[in-house]
Amino acid sequence: MRPHALLLGMALLAGAAAAPAIAEQPIGQPVDLALVLLTDVSKSMDDREYAIVKEGYKAAFSDPQVIQAILSNSKGIAVSYVEFAGKDEFFVVQGWNVLTDAASARAFGDAVAGATRTSAGNTALAVSIRKAADMLTSAGADEARRVIDVASDHPHDGGRSDAVRDAAVAAGITINALPIIDNHPIVAYDGHLTYAVQQWGFEDQAAFYRNHVIGGPGSFVIEARDYAAFGEALKRKLLRELISSPGPLDASETFASVD
């Protein structure tokens, strides 16, 4: 955890514990795609980075190419925006929104961007993927393509996501990932500074998501090399998820900001 994240986590602790999650409801109508946008807002993300992520969602859902991709789904798409951090910090910020035109797409992006941050705890990636899969299995959209879209800077979870991923795939759910590569110094619990995950002896971040998180037909990783590249990476990921014929299994793209 970086030093500036300490105060952020303390400030959000009480609010996160009290903030109500939106009740999970069935989508209520046929759609071509049911998509959970599962976004990591743990304490490794500071306020500036959080603002970049939220603006990325707003820009993506007002982008003409993304809107055109939404319109290519004749029944529309159902999308939900979820923030997660620790094991008890899973918040459905925007429940199932059915997007069928430019107005509904822009309204969804505006609602996501305007919502306040729900939490800033640890990163319970596997638990949160399981909860997102539960949302999809109870959404009443068994005939639709069902996708979990994970955006996170979490570097590794010791293989805990493998079994959760496998269960989701067995249930007919595809998981895609947008790892955000954040090599800022962080403060370990013993108070010593450390740096990127590669120095901890684990596989690199993109490899972790390829090997332990994504799965299902057409699953892929799109990597943002820093937070500034998040918006463009998100747009490219949505364009691939919104089309009716997924791309090659485990394809990858990388985006970096331009100085």
Side-chain angles (χ1 to χ4, degrees), residues 43-114:
K43 57 193 172 186
S44 59
M45 179 190 292
D46 63 29
D47 285 337
R48 179 188 64 83
E49 293 161 345
Y50 181 74
I52 290 171
V53 166
K54 297 298 283 294
E55 283 304 308
Y57 279 108
K58 180 177 181 178
F61 280 94
S62 64
D63 183 88
Q65 289 181 285
V66 172
I67 291 172
Q68 186 58 45
I70 291 171
L71 294 176
S72 71
N73 293 271
S74 59
K75 298 177 185 176
I77 70 165
V79 59
S80 180
Y81 172 77
V82 178
E83 293 184 346
F84 76 95
K87 65 182 180 64
D88 297 317
E89 296 172 316
F90 181 94
F91 296 96
V92 182
V93 178
Q94 281 293 310
W96 292 117
N97 285 234
V98 177
L99 311 185
T100 57
D101 54 22
S104 57
R106 292 192 184 100
F108 177 78
D110 289 345
V112 169

Side-chain angles (χ1 to χ4, degrees), residues 29-250:
Q29 67 185 77
V31 292
D32 294 309
L33 169 69
L35 174 65
V36 176
L37 300 170
L38 183 61
T39 303
D40 178 2
V41 295
S42 57
K43 57 193 172 186
S44 59
M45 179 190 292
D46 63 29
D47 285 337
R48 179 188 64 83
E49 293 161 345
Y50 181 74
I52 290 171
V53 166
K54 297 298 283 294
E55 283 304 308
Y57 279 108
K58 180 177 181 178
F61 280 94
S62 64
D63 183 88
Q65 289 181 285
V66 172
I67 291 172
Q68 186 58 45
I70 291 171
L71 294 176
S72 71
N73 293 271
S74 59
K75 298 177 185 176
I77 70 165
V79 59
S80 180
Y81 172 77
V82 178
E83 293 184 346
F84 76 95
K87 65 182 180 64
D88 297 317
E89 296 172 316
F90 181 94
F91 296 96
V92 182
V93 178
Q94 281 293 310
W96 292 117
N97 285 234
V98 177
L99 311 185
T100 57
D101 54 22
S104 57
R106 292 192 184 100
F108 177 78
D110 289 345
V112 169
T116 57
R117 186 170 185 165
T118 57
S119 53
N122 294 318
T123 310
L125 180 60
V127 170
S128 299
I129 292 173
R130 177 182 57 76
K131 291 178 179 179
D134 289 344
M135 285 181 61
L136 285 168
T137 56
S138 63
D142 292 347
E143 300 302 315
R145 290 182 292 118
R146 296 179 296 167
V147 178
I148 299 171
D149 175 335
V150 180
S152 175
D153 65 2
H154 193 50
H156 198 275
D157 71 352
R160 288 187 293 275
S161 291
D162 292 51
V164 175
R165 182 266 319 276
D166 293 345
V169 171
I173 295 168
T174 294
I175 304 173
N176 300 322
L178 196 169
I180 307 166
I181 311 304
D182 178 14
N183 288 333
H184 291 300
I186 63 173
V187 177
Y189 287 110
D190 62 3
H192 293 89
L193 280 173
T194 186
Y195 292 85
V197 63
Q198 289 88 340
Q199 296 187 15
W200 298 351
F202 295 129
E203 60 200 332
D204 69 59
Q205 206 160 335
F208 162 64
Y209 286 89
R210 282 194 299 271
N211 297 333
H212 305 283
V213 175
I214 71 167
S219 61
F220 62 89
V221 171
I222 289 185
E223 178 184 350
R225 294 299 305 177
D226 48 43
Y227 272 94
F230 177 83
E232 183 62 22
L234 174 65
K235 172 186 169 180
R236 299 310 304 178
K237 186 149 80 88
L238 287 171
L239 288 175
R240 293 184 63 171
E241 289 166 336
L242 291 168
I243 62 174
S244 58
S245 300
L249 180 66
D250 194 14

